[in-house]
Amino acid sequence: MEPFPYAPAPESPAIVDIRPSYGLFVGGEFVDGRGTSFKTVNPATEEVLAEIAEASPADVDRAVQAARTAYDAVWSRMPGSERAKYLFRIARIIAERSRELAVLESIDNGKPIRESRDVDVPIAAAHFFYYAGWADKLEHSGFGSTPLGVAAQVIPWNFPLLMLAWKIAPALACGNTVVLKPAETTPLTALLFAEICQQADLPPGVVNILTGAGSTGQAMVTHPGIDKVAFTGSTEVGKAIARAVAGTDKRVTLELGGKAANIVFDDAPIDQAVEGIVDGIFFNQGHVCCAGSRLLVQESVYDDVLERLKRRMSTLRLGDPLDKNTDVGAINSSEQLLRIRALAEVGDAEGADRWSAPCDLPTSGFWFPPTLFTGVTQAHRIAREEIFGPVLSVLTFRTPAEAVEKANNTPYGLSAGVWSDKGSRILWMADRLKAGVVWSNTFNKFDPTSPFGGYKESGYGREGGRHGLEGYLR
Amino acid sequence: MTATLSPATSDASLRRFLHGLPAVDKVGADARAARLGTRSIKTTAKAYAIDLAISMVDLTTLEGHDTPGKVRALANKAMRPDPSDPTCPATAAVCVYGDLVEVAKQTLTGSGVQVAAVATAFPSGRARLDVKLADTRDAVAAGADEIDMVIDRGAFLAGHYMTVFEEIVAVREACERPDGTAAHLKVILETGELQTYDNVRRASWLAMLAGAHFIKTSTGKISPAATLPVTLIMLEAVRDFRDAHGQMIGVKPAGGIRTTKDAIKYLVMVNETCGPDWLDPSWFRFGASTLLNDLLLQRTKLATGRYGGPDYVTLD
Amino acid sequence: MTRATPAARVGVRKTSKLFIGGAFPRSESGRTFVVNDHEGGFLANAALASRKDARDAVVAARAAFPGWAGRTAYNRGQVVYRIAELLEARRDQFEGELRASEGVSAATARQYVDAAIDRLVWYAGWSDKIAQVVGGANAVAGPFFNHSAPEPTGVVAIVAPRGPLLGLVSVLAPVIATGNTAVVLASEAHPLTAITLAEVMATSDLPGGVVNILTGRAAEVGPWLAAHMDVNGIDLTGVEDPSLARDLEIAAADNLKRVRRPRAEDLLAPPALDRMTDFLEIKTVWHPMGS
């Protein structure tokens, strides 16, 4: 008998109702865009899911006006205790519609249903629940209690709903109104969230959702009616935003790229470290800004760690994102797949050794197998550039000081991992790592109460926790 | 053993070896076990898993009020879990106290179902070594195919690793029969008393070094008994032991596994931790009593498409 | 009895130099500029810092950063307090300089020197408290110890505002009390007091390179500091030309420096925490809790 072939266990897509086309959500209702439109596809099948409006500068203007009106007339005047109730409502509706949101997220993004179901959607709901509680306690925040006004928020495609929650929940709790643009390739959960705002009877204009690509985002960021820009995405675009707002009064928070070191010492809890390495780089197909994409292994345990890691990677199940047993889903777009392939080829060309987990790739859709490169040094491009895919670069080190030096030897500084059974060494390392989040003996953990954000070119400002309020208050 | 120095020469040398094993982070281990528990096993995979689980059951009764009649009934059930369906596999063994081995053996001889006996002053293990050895020899002489011994948890927690080691070696010798064959030895760690996962990993290695054929979580008399993360730690230990010594050791979670859903989680864990080599009654067992009937109910549900009830499985 | 009238004594003038890495070099460019008093009379020649002086200052600040950030907060507080002590001891000199350069009354000069000393003392006390106020425990939903604490951003460039003493102290003290090192471009209008302050710092316990002071033109040196890839933050408080401020902010985006924009503020008013938190990074550390 063949050993335990798990039968397919797909989550039914019937729970979601995807419309053939979507307009923009402005002033509490769906309106036709004045620009052109584009298609969003299921990256696992390349099937077109819907026609999406591309917001033009005129649409941006309309949305900013709606947000300003809502800010002046309603939201900034509403007592925090009342704003809180709307946010609590939203948190509850997200939880109630969690299955629908999870399936839709997996269809549009390509991420495994296990992750959208167990990570993205519950943490999104938790963010609204957490910040709802702040709305009437801002005077205790240490950042004042005066909102900024209208926030332009631009989010990426890797955690569409979760990033929306990270942006909208604190903004609304502080009394701001928002114009949010989901990524071009993953607009659907943001549009479903617009429906949730309607269900919650959120006053019109408090949340406006504009779909579109980079030019829409640019129009939002440069709009004179905006008081605040919050962006999560690439460092390149982050820098462009920082330049665009120079000399204005617009406040900015940026959560950008990373090239995190995940450091494994010879006394690490080795089985959990291997899990952490796998979680660190293969979670969400490696489409994670804080991914542990540089594995630094103490040379004395290199062979053992590599053998365990490869064995573990061989049990990863790649395939249908809606299958509950899938660990690794589809790459979000053909564009991203090309970028991953190109950088992996650079790794080959630079003489690093590529190893991919044995798995069959589906014939349609965008796929890349879980892959690691050994023989990588700090002089390899794959150790320096963010690949944003399921590709791990493995380096070695000899001493704690060398580990710190290598870990910090990057313009990024978003996250880092340390695995050791020795408490004092962990604290020593954590103190020296230039990263906004240090996961010790764990990785890729997120919580609404826990501030997240980078050092250096990984951006500025923090999202989550009390610190996440700072970017929305004056 | 080869020319390598055995660590089993003193408490101190064993301590250095056992405490040199990689640490276990409890939160990470719990999370890994929980995640494996979210695998969704349906249809054909479920049918496969249910039959495999049935064939891995050590159908157990370890009560003060056990009688020959009770044991005979259990033995019959072990041979024919579903009397109405000849395709239903037999269980791996029945597990009883030593004084009832003969009764079980009478019923099971020739059936392929093994007779396992708990020994060594089960469940506490609080007796002199010669008493424990006599207990073991009695059970083997009565026909036991397998001996489930308990380690001296007090000695382990006191750091007297040599005491624990030597006792296992001695019990294994006591498992030998005059004809040169020997009963298989399962070593119960009683993980609920060891409490930490580091202790579970160390005790697993200690038992394997001393010659255990199987390592087993629990007596069933202490709570918690078997848990998924504890079993994960033990599966990692046997996997690593094979890597180091080329020798396979079996794993038996016992106590607290009552539902098909639970059993399938364990099988998924075996599959993804040790690989399919261990998906075999020779290398993985469930110490259980009520689990079998739930497996049978689920088996029927899969076959007929409707839910069954207790009237349709045998209660013994 | 008559005596010959002695010739009037010729004063010894001070040459004003830069303050880099604990030393007082001239500008590598060899240039100086004239600093006048409030009535337009000659006060002194000040070194006119060049881009290479800025580069050297950044190197010195970077070299000093690990040691300074690595000191205990208690120790940093003591060092900053020591600067206040020395300033108090030399207050007559500073009051005199303020009166000469700005033409303020004796009472006003005294008020500003008092405020500058008190501000140093205020920030000295913050060094080992700011972490408690802006950091803390995060109650995450899981078995994890989770803790956020502030850390210094790194090397911070500062374009100091007018107000030769209080202005400079107000922008510098929060930056160094929290563990950053600084490259300060002194107020173009009032560079001399900045160098006198450097002399105070040089004789305090402040390690060389923690504070580096340049005198010169914001429009010339500012862009080099703003674009420098080894500078982590920039405080534009003293940039008076809005278009220069904008240009510097644009240049600062090259490595995403933390930028503090110029804005109107009353130097005499009690400060808030923002001058410290603007150049602090919040680091959050997770660790599982399990036996």
Side-chain angles (χ1 to χ4, degrees):
Chain A
M1 195 178 227
E2 189 177 328
F4 217 162
Y6 302 164
E11 181 71 72
S12 168
I15 192 169
V16 300
D17 177 22
I18 302 176
R19 291 183 237 153
S21 69
Y22 288 87
L24 311 168
F25 184 68
V26 176
E29 50 194 34
F30 284 94
V31 298
D32 291 337
R34 296 172 193 175
T36 54
S37 67
F38 60 97
K39 294 174 171 58
T40 184
V41 304
N42 179 338
T45 61
E46 301 177 56
E47 165 204 3
V48 173
L49 294 168
E51 192 89 13
I52 307 293
E54 175 159 18
S56 68
D59 294 318
V60 170
D61 197 50
R62 183 161 55 155
V64 172
Q65 297 299 339
R68 174 63 58 190
T69 304
Y71 176 78
D72 289 340
V74 183
W75 199 246
S76 67
R77 297 169 177 217
M78 189 182 286
S81 55
E82 301 301 301
R83 287 201 308 270
K85 289 183 204 164
Y86 283 108
L87 293 179
F88 280 125
R89 274 189 193 174
I90 290 171
R92 282 292 196 253
I93 298 174
I94 290 174
E96 285 155 12
R97 301 183 70 174
S98 61
R99 188 148 166 240
E100 186 182 352
L101 284 161
V103 170
L104 189 61
E105 196 77 298
S106 283
I107 290 174
D108 203 20
N109 170 281
K111 65 174 64 200
I113 185 76
R114 174 170 67 73
E115 291 176 3
S116 47
R117 178 195 68 199
D118 296 348
V119 180
D120 297 58
V121 177
I123 300 185
H127 261 268
F128 278 98
F129 201 88
Y130 174 78
Y131 279 108
W134 267 119
D136 56 358
K137 302 168 189 68
L138 296 174
E139 66 273 24
H140 303 291
S141 72
F143 304 117
S145 55
T146 309
L148 302 177
V150 177
Q153 305 181 316
V154 178
I155 59 169
W157 45 261
N158 56 345
F159 296 92
L161 182 73
L162 184 56
M163 290 300 103
L164 174 150
W166 283 27
K167 295 283 179 288
I168 292 182
L172 265 49
C174 293
N176 304 277
T177 57
V178 306
V179 179
L180 177 134
K181 186 187 87 64
E184 191 181 0
T185 59
T186 55
L188 294 183
T189 47
L191 293 164
L192 182 52
F193 179 81
E195 274 181 35
I196 289 173
C197 292
Q198 290 177 324
Q199 280 190 335
D201 288 331
L202 189 71
V206 171
V207 168
N208 303 275
I209 308 281
L210 296 182
T211 45
S215 60
T216 303
Q218 198 177 6
M220 286 165 57
V221 167
T222 55
H223 194 287
I226 290 292
D227 301 294
K228 152 87 188 181
V229 177
F231 172 74
T232 296
S234 73
T235 290
E236 189 192 342
V237 175
K239 289 178 182 179
I241 289 172
R243 292 183 192 107
V245 300
T248 71
D249 290 331
K250 292 175 187 171
R251 294 263 296 271
V252 188
T253 45
L254 302 170
E255 201 268 272
L256 310 174
K259 192 72 189 178
N262 202 358
I263 304 164
V264 179
F265 283 98
D266 58 7
D267 67 340
I270 210 79
D271 293 301
Q272 289 73 49
V274 168
E275 284 307 310
I277 296 165
V278 167
D279 242 353
I281 186 63
F282 303 120
F283 171 61
N284 203 33
Q285 296 71 249
H287 302 330
V288 187
C289 46
C290 53
S293 53
R294 276 188 301 153
L295 174 63
L296 297 180
V297 186
Q298 197 156 24
E299 216 167 316
S300 51
V301 287
Y302 174 82
D303 291 338
D304 190 30
V305 169
L306 256 285
E307 189 189 320
R308 288 167 187 268
L309 178 58
K310 286 180 177 177
R311 179 166 57 200
R312 175 67 179 85
M313 283 170 66
S314 302
T315 68
L316 289 171
R317 305 173 70 84
L318 176 145
D320 180 6
L322 288 184
D323 192 314
K324 293 172 205 163
N325 292 324
T326 292
D327 299 316
V328 180
I331 303 301
N332 179 251
S333 65
S334 63
E335 195 182 12
Q336 186 59 23
L337 179 59
L338 290 177
R339 184 180 150 73
I340 295 166
R341 281 186 184 150
L343 270 166
E345 278 157 22
V346 168
D348 296 332
E350 288 178 337
D353 295 315
R354 186 202 292 226
W355 181 87
S356 293
C359 55
D360 296 329
L361 303 184
T363 48
S364 64
F366 316 126
W367 305 92
F368 198 90
T371 295
L372 61 80
F373 278 96
T374 52
V376 181
T377 70
Q378 286 290 93
H380 285 73
R381 269 181 67 193
I382 52 171
R384 306 200 64 79
E385 293 180 28
E386 188 177 35
I387 299 174
F388 224 64
V391 181
L392 178 67
S393 296
V394 187
L395 296 84
T396 61
F397 69 93
R398 296 163 297 178
T399 62
E402 187 180 355
V404 168
E405 187 178 75
K406 285 185 168 169
N408 287 343
N409 180 216
T410 166
Y412 294 117
L414 190 51
S415 67
V418 184
W419 297 84
S420 169
D421 202 40
K422 185 168 175 173
S424 63
R425 180 187 293 141
I426 287 174
L427 294 175
W428 188 89
M429 293 289 294
D431 189 46
R432 278 157 184 76
L433 290 166
K434 295 280 179 212
V437 182
V438 177
W439 284 296
S440 35
N441 290 328
T442 188
F443 209 93
N444 270 347
K445 291 283 182 295
F446 308 94
D447 191 277
T449 68
S450 181
F452 184 91
Y455 282 45
K456 303 194 279 188
E457 292 195 20
S458 289
Y460 38 72
R462 293 292 178 268
E463 294 184 300
R466 183 187 69 88
H467 296 86
L469 299 167
E470 185 177 12
Y472 292 99
L473 291 170
R474 75 170 96 237
Chain B
M1 277 240 163
T2 58
T4 51
L5 289 173
S6 164
T9 55
S10 68
D11 284 346
S13 65
L14 271 172
R15 170 189 307 283
R16 275 192 289 275
F17 174 80
L18 297 173
H19 289 250
L21 293 167
V24 185
D25 181 76
K26 180 179 187 296
V27 173
D30 286 344
R32 173 65 178 149
R35 180 179 291 183
L36 284 169
T38 66
R39 289 288 194 218
S40 183
I41 303 300
K42 303 287 184 200
T43 60
T44 53
K46 189 172 183 180
Y48 164 81
I50 289 173
D51 279 9
L52 182 61
I54 292 171
S55 75
M56 289 172 161
V57 169
D58 281 5
L59 195 59
T60 300
T61 184
L62 294 169
E63 302 296 337
H65 62 229
D66 284 346
T67 58
K70 163 77 180 173
V71 170
R72 270 194 290 272
L74 204 69
N76 275 289
K77 175 139 183 156
M79 289 188 291
R80 288 178 304 279
D82 184 348
S84 63
D85 182 357
T87 67
C88 180
T91 70
V94 295
C95 183
V96 295
Y97 271 111
D99 60 334
L100 290 164
V101 167
E102 243 178 284
V103 178
K105 196 71 191 171
Q106 281 163 7
T107 310
L108 292 170
T109 299
S111 69
V113 177
Q114 308 289 298
V115 176
V118 295
T120 69
F122 181 96
S124 73
R126 297 252 66 85
R128 283 205 332 254
L129 178 59
D130 54 356
V131 175
K132 296 183 187 180
L133 295 178
D135 194 14
T136 306
R137 287 192 198 98
D138 280 352
V140 174
D145 303 296
E146 301 173 355
I147 294 295
D148 288 22
M149 72 169 284
V150 291
I151 65 164
D152 184 340
R153 285 89 72 188
F156 182 89
L157 292 171
H160 300 147
Y161 299 127
M162 270 314 278
T163 306
V164 181
F165 180 88
E166 285 171 342
E167 214 168 86
I168 297 169
V169 171
V171 173
R172 183 167 157 161
E173 281 168 13
C175 286
E176 288 170 8
R177 303 188 189 97
D179 65 1
T181 62
H184 268 230
L185 179 62
K186 304 199 198 89
V187 176
I188 302 170
L189 309 180
E190 197 65 299
T191 54
E193 289 185 343
L194 301 183
Q195 295 203 354
T196 72
Y197 295 167
D198 286 317
N199 279 342
V200 172
R201 173 167 288 181
R202 290 169 191 152
S204 298
W205 275 83
L206 187 57
M208 293 188 294
L209 288 171
H213 295 110
F214 254 80
I215 49 176
K216 175 176 168 183
T217 60
S218 320
T219 60
K221 305 296 182 190
I222 292 289
S223 183
T227 66
L228 281 166
V230 153
T231 307
L232 174 65
I233 305 304
M234 292 167 66
L235 287 166
E236 288 166 352
V238 299
R239 178 198 67 195
D240 292 349
F241 191 81
R242 180 168 77 168
D243 285 351
H245 300 290
Q247 187 188 341
M248 278 174 75
I249 308 289
V251 176
K252 177 179 171 184
I257 307 165
R258 295 191 180 86
T259 66
T260 302
K261 197 173 171 183
D262 285 344
I264 291 176
K265 288 179 183 178
Y266 279 90
L267 294 180
V268 165
M269 184 179 278
V270 172
N271 188 42
E272 298 204 25
T273 306
C274 294
D277 289 357
W278 264 268
L279 285 176
D280 184 297
S282 304
W283 305 112
F284 196 77
R285 298 277 182 87
F286 291 107
S289 44
T290 56
L291 170 65
L292 182 58
N293 271 354
D294 192 65
L295 287 166
L296 294 170
L297 280 171
Q298 293 299 323
R299 192 175 188 276
T300 310
K301 157 71 175 60
L302 265 186
T304 65
R306 59 174 189 261
Y307 292 104
D311 287 353
Y312 298 90
V313 292
T314 57
L315 294 174
D316 289 299
Chain C
M1 195 171 76
T2 59
R3 262 196 306 197
T5 306
R9 182 178 175 276
V10 177
V12 178
R13 284 182 178 166
K14 186 171 113 185
T15 305
S16 179
K17 298 199 280 190
L18 305 176
F19 182 50
I20 297 175
F24 288 91
R26 290 191 168 83
S27 170
E28 65 75 40
S29 67
R31 301 175 306 170
T32 58
F33 66 109
V34 173
V35 183
N36 291 325
D37 62 23
H38 69 282
E39 290 169 331
F42 176 80
L43 260 183
N45 283 310
L48 182 62
S50 68
R51 67 177 168 87
K52 290 188 182 175
D53 296 319
R55 174 201 64 190
D56 293 347
V58 171
V59 169
R62 174 59 63 194
F65 177 68
W68 182 241
R71 291 204 178 191
T72 63
Y74 175 63
N75 180 258
R76 281 201 307 271
Q78 289 198 314
V79 171
V80 175
Y81 183 77
R82 176 74 180 153
I83 300 172
E85 285 181 336
L86 297 185
L87 201 52
E88 180 85 43
R90 291 173 63 169
R91 59 176 307 135
D92 291 350
Q93 180 187 1
F94 282 96
E95 286 176 26
E97 286 192 12
L98 292 190
R99 294 179 66 185
S101 65
E102 296 193 276
V104 295
S105 69
T108 303
R110 190 161 55 246
Q111 183 193 8
Y112 275 87
V113 172
D114 284 349
I117 295 167
D118 291 354
R119 187 138 305 164
L120 275 166
V121 171
W122 192 73
Y123 279 117
W126 266 117
S127 69
D128 54 4
K129 296 165 194 71
I130 188 75
Q132 293 174 311
V133 173
V134 306
N138 307 310
V140 297
F144 293 92
F145 172 84
N146 181 297
H147 178 255
S148 293
E151 286 189 354
T153 294
V155 174
V156 178
I158 300 170
V159 181
R162 287 172 189 261
L165 186 63
L166 180 59
L168 178 57
V169 164
S170 297
V171 295
L172 178 60
V175 166
I176 61 171
T178 50
N180 295 288
T181 57
V183 175
V184 183
L185 183 60
S187 164
E188 209 166 307
H190 305 125
L192 301 183
T193 302
I195 296 303
T196 309
L197 183 66
E199 288 160 12
V200 168
M201 291 189 288
T203 54
S204 75
D205 301 319
L206 193 71
V210 172
V211 173
N212 305 274
I213 298 185
L214 305 175
T215 52
R217 313 282 186 224
E220 181 189 357
V221 179
W224 294 101
L225 291 172
H228 199 301
M229 297 298 274
D230 204 29
V231 172
N232 304 102
I234 187 163
D235 177 357
L236 303 177
T237 298
V239 180
E240 292 169 4
D241 170 7
S243 85
L244 177 61
R246 179 171 172 272
D247 289 347
L248 296 182
E249 189 176 345
I250 289 171
D254 284 352
N255 67 337
L256 291 167
K257 286 177 189 66
R258 285 73 178 120
V259 178
R260 185 183 168 98
R261 293 174 179 148
R263 57 175 181 256
E265 58 192 305
D266 175 8
L267 288 175
L268 285 170
L273 301 186
D274 56 335
R275 286 201 165 274
M276 288 182 285
T277 55
D278 279 353
F279 300 108
L280 288 172
E281 306 290 327
I282 296 297
K283 175 187 281 178
T284 299
V285 179
W286 293 67
H287 197 283
M289 295 190 293
S291 61

